[in-house]
């Protein structure tokens, strides 16, 4: 029920929006000194969409007052008029390319039309592992444990060295991690949250033991056991880092008090049964998901609440095209979760934490906010990235439909992904993500159940004013 419109229609809409931006630029006058001028920015949003394609609404331009405020604060570093129009043209062109790539079936763009990946914006090779991304996203500031983490994660690159030569750099990184740990155990323990001291101390002991075992594996030349020991050590690193989180790092706006919120993290298991046995013999399986309330409390809270209500149990996979896997559209006319208490479809605001920010951006995509070149804390970097689906032209009508990213294409390279900032990521598949590649439309979700972290779910506050998405003109 909620799929993309016809291909030609998407091309037409994107072309109209591109033309509109050109026209708007040449009519800018006094406001041209602002970084994000009040000229309307028309947003073409890449799929996955939720919503009926029956009637295509024109993209509605709006005056972005928040962007104007940000612009005033950054006045000293505001780009020139030429740079502004270059940004707008690039944004429109990438949006057009994204729509074409994601909504077109079996068609490829000519190579000369492919926008280059902006590798120059990235300081290092992007992280593609879901667990590593989750470690990096924790709201902590302890350089010692981050140094240990970096040494252990570097081993992934060391494994690419041919032959037995890889053992040298692997051993060096293990010894470096051991040395950092042994010299700073007391310093690490001093940074634990009061209620997590016991768990943190246990994790330090676990990491010490894991590194000793890892060193013995390397000394024995056992290449085949390197990955297993690396992951065991990193698991303890993650436990140490989680013990350092001191409370919830920010206050969620009161506008969302009537929505469930996850004040921390939760782990879910998702069991799927395939409708037919695949050629590789797979009949189904269980994936493990981690959802991150530290950076997406409303989005993650909505998902955990729905899973706890057993909303997803019995639903089917509704899109599986090799690029994404999508589900969450219930049977019947509703396109999302209908709250029995109100009889209305529950929607949640767009929510995204940007690197360097203290609180998430709400109700605006980074494209609408004029920050489309900035990086989210939870990016579309990993196979099995989990995000909310929504309508084409409305950022704030996500409800129950979710999707998993599979493919890293020319238009969605890790670290320069056109979906980043336009869709709200709230977690990653951390175990058995390869099952996603076997899924087809009609495969059944037996259940999604929360196995850890349900205590972090904050239910809606009694008497809270119901959330209503603001019209774009009011943002």
């Amino acid at each position: 029920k909620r799929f993309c419109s016809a291909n030609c229609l998407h091309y037409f809409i994107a072309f109209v929006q591109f033309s509109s931006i050109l026209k708007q630029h040449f009519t800018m006058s006094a406001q041209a000194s602002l970084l994000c001028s009040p000229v309307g920015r028309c947003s073409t949003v890449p799929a996955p969409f939720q919503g009926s394609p029956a009637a295509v609404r024109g993209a509605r331009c709006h005056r972005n007052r928040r962007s104007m405020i940000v612009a005033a604060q950054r006045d000293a570093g505001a780009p020139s008029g030429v740079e502004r129009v270059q940004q707008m043209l690039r944004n429109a062109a990438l949006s057009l390319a994204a729509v074409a790539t994601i909504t077109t079936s079996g068609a490829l763009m000519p190579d000369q039309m492919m926008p280059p990946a902006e590798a120059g914006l990235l300081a290092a090779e992007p992280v593609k592992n879901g667990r590593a991304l989750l470690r990096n996203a924790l709201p902590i500031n302890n350089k010692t444990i981050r140094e240990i983490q970096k040494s252990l994660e570097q081993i992934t690159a060391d494994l690419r060295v041919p032959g037995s030569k890889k053992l040298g750099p692997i051993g060096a990184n293990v010894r470096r991690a051991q040395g950092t740990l042994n010299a700073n155990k007391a310093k690490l323990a001093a940074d634990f949250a009061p209620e997590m001291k016991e768990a943190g101390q246990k994790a330090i002991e676990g990491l010490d033991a894991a590194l000793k075992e890892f060193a013995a594996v390397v000394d024995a030349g056992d290449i085949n056991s390197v990955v297993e020991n690396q992951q065991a050590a990193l698991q303890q690193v993650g436990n140490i880092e989680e013990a350092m989180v001191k409370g919830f790092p920010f206050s969620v706006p009161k506008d969302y008090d009537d929505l469930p919120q996850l004040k921390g993290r939760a782990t879910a298991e998702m069991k799927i049964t395939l409708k037919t046995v695949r050629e590789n013999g797979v009949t189904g399986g269980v994936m493990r998901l981690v959802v991150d309330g530290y950076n997406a409390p409303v989005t993650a809270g909505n998902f955990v609440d729905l899973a706890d209500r057993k909303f997803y149990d019995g639903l089917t996979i509704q899109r599986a095209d090799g690029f994404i896997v999508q589900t969450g559209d219930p049977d019947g006319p509703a396109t999302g979760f209908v709250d029995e208490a109100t009889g209305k479809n529950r929607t949640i605001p767009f929510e995204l934490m940007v690197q360097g920010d203290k609180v998430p951006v709400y109700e605006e995509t980074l494209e609408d906010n004029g920050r489309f070149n900035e990086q989210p804390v939870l990016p579309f970097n990993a196979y099995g990235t989990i995000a909310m689906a929504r309508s084409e032209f409305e950022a704030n009508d996500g409800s129950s439909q979710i999707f998993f990213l599979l493919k890293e294409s020319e238009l969605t390279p890790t670290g320069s992904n056109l979906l980043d900032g336009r869709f709200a990521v709230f977690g990653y598949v951390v175990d058995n993500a390869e099952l996603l590649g076997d899924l087809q439309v009609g495969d059944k979700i037996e259940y999604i159940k929360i196995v850890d972290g349900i205590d972090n779910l904050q239910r809606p506050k009694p008497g809270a004013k119901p959330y209503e998405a603001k019209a774009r003109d009011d943002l």
Side-chain angles (χ1 to χ4, degrees):
K1 286 180 297 190
R2 309 207 97 177
F3 296 102
C4 302
S5 307
N7 298 336
C8 59
L9 203 51
H10 280 291
Y11 281 113
F12 175 74
I13 292 171
F15 176 78
V16 170
Q17 293 165 344
F18 183 87
S19 302
S20 176
I21 290 177
L22 276 176
K23 179 179 179 181
Q24 290 155 11
H25 172 71
F26 291 113
T27 58
M28 286 191 293
S29 56
Q31 295 87 1
S33 63
L34 292 176
L35 172 63
C36 297
S37 73
V39 173
R41 184 187 299 279
C42 296
S43 171
T44 299
V45 184
F49 300 128
Q50 60 172 5
S52 171
V56 177
R57 298 171 288 170
R60 293 172 292 176
C61 299
H62 66 285
R63 295 190 173 212
N64 192 327
R65 291 200 294 271
R66 289 188 201 165
S67 293
M68 293 171 63
I69 294 172
V70 171
Q73 294 172 338
R74 299 180 181 176
D75 185 64
S80 67
V82 173
E83 290 171 329
R84 279 192 299 276
V85 76
Q86 286 175 335
Q87 288 177 339
M88 289 189 289
L89 294 179
R90 173 190 172 279
N91 196 36
L94 291 183
S95 295
L96 173 61
V99 171
T101 298
I102 300 174
T103 64
T104 302
S105 176
L108 297 176
M109 294 180 65
D111 290 342
Q112 60 268 29
M113 290 182 64
M114 292 290 186
E118 298 185 37
L121 295 175
L122 303 172
E125 182 179 353
V127 178
K128 300 183 181 182
N129 180 278
R131 290 188 183 274
L133 289 165
L134 287 165
R135 285 192 292 270
N136 292 340
L138 282 169
I140 65 171
N141 185 26
N142 186 290
K143 293 182 180 180
T144 300
I145 193 62
R146 292 303 195 191
E147 289 175 5
I148 296 172
Q149 176 186 329
K150 181 179 179 180
S151 295
L152 291 172
E153 289 176 349
Q154 176 59 34
I155 291 171
T156 300
D158 296 339
L159 285 167
R160 301 175 192 148
V161 176
S164 60
K165 293 181 179 179
K166 60 172 64 79
L167 285 172
I170 290 173
N173 275 304
V174 173
R175 289 190 295 274
R176 185 177 298 112
Q178 279 186 302
T180 305
L181 176 64
N182 291 334
N184 294 280
K185 288 182 180 179
K187 186 176 179 180
L188 290 172
D191 204 13
F192 292 144
E195 70 278 10
M196 296 295 292
K197 286 187 178 295
E198 183 177 348
Q201 188 60 48
K202 184 177 180 181
I204 288 178
E205 295 170 0
L207 177 58
D208 191 15
L211 290 174
K212 289 177 180 177
E213 182 176 346
F214 199 172
V217 164
V218 174
D219 291 342
D222 186 1
I223 293 289
N224 294 330
S225 298
V226 166
V227 173
E228 179 183 349
N229 281 269
Q230 178 203 30
Q231 294 306 309
L234 282 170
Q235 178 63 47
Q236 296 298 338
V237 168
N239 293 341
I240 291 171
E241 292 173 339
E242 289 184 10
M244 292 177 174
V245 179
K246 301 174 181 67
F248 196 72
F250 59 89
S251 296
V252 177
K254 293 184 180 300
D255 289 348
Y256 316 129
D257 280 353
D258 72 314
L259 298 173
Q261 300 173 17
L262 188 66
K263 298 298 184 72
R265 287 183 173 170
T267 303
E269 288 184 351
M270 181 177 183
K271 183 178 181 179
I272 300 178
T273 299
L274 309 187
K275 61 180 180 179
T276 57
V277 179
R278 304 296 184 256
E279 292 182 359
N280 57 7
V282 175
T283 60
V286 178
M287 296 186 297
R288 197 170 184 87
L289 292 55
V290 173
V291 294
D292 185 10
Y294 289 124
N295 294 287
V298 176
T299 313
N302 179 71
F303 173 79
V304 171
D305 177 67
L306 293 178
D308 193 47
R309 292 171 181 261
K310 304 185 186 302
F311 173 86
Y312 294 102
D313 298 6
L315 294 184
T316 60
I317 301 301
Q318 291 141 1
R319 176 177 173 181
D321 53 14
F323 180 67
I324 67 166
V325 169
Q326 185 166 335
T327 189
D329 187 0
D331 294 333
T335 55
F337 167 68
V338 177
D339 193 335
E340 296 178 356
T342 64
K344 296 181 180 180
N345 187 61
R346 185 174 81 190
T347 59
I348 62 173
F350 179 85
E351 177 183 50
L352 187 139
M353 182 74 82
V354 179
Q355 290 182 10
D357 285 2
K358 300 298 184 183
V359 298
V361 172
Y362 285 100
E363 303 198 22
E364 295 179 301
T365 67
L366 294 192
E367 180 181 24
D368 290 338
N369 199 256
R371 305 176 67 183
F372 45 81
N373 278 333
E374 298 189 45
Q375 294 293 312
V377 173
L378 301 176
F380 281 93
N381 281 19
Y383 186 97
T385 298
I386 316 168
M388 290 296 300
R390 59 178 178 79
S391 298
E392 294 179 65
F393 303 113
E394 180 51 68
N396 302 308
D397 71 347
S399 179
S400 61
Q401 296 188 44
I402 62 172
F403 68 95
F404 303 84
L405 180 70
L406 306 187
K407 186 176 181 180
E408 181 177 348
S409 70
E410 291 86 349
L411 285 172
T412 57
T414 298
S416 185
N417 195 312
L418 292 180
L419 301 181
D420 282 334
R422 292 176 171 91
F423 289 87
V425 173
F426 62 94
Y428 299 95
V429 179
V430 296
D431 286 326
N432 203 23
E434 59 271 18
L435 178 61
L436 290 167
D438 290 311
L439 298 186
Q440 298 178 4
V441 173
D443 291 339
K444 183 180 178 181
I445 300 172
E446 299 293 345
Y447 60 75
I448 299 180
K449 63 181 181 181
I450 307 303
V451 296
D452 186 50
I454 191 65
D455 292 343
N456 293 327
L457 180 64
Q458 177 181 293
R459 306 288 180 177
K461 294 182 179 180
K465 181 180 178 181
Y467 164 69
E468 292 184 6
K470 297 181 179 69
R472 291 176 66 94
D473 292 337
D474 293 334
L475 290 175

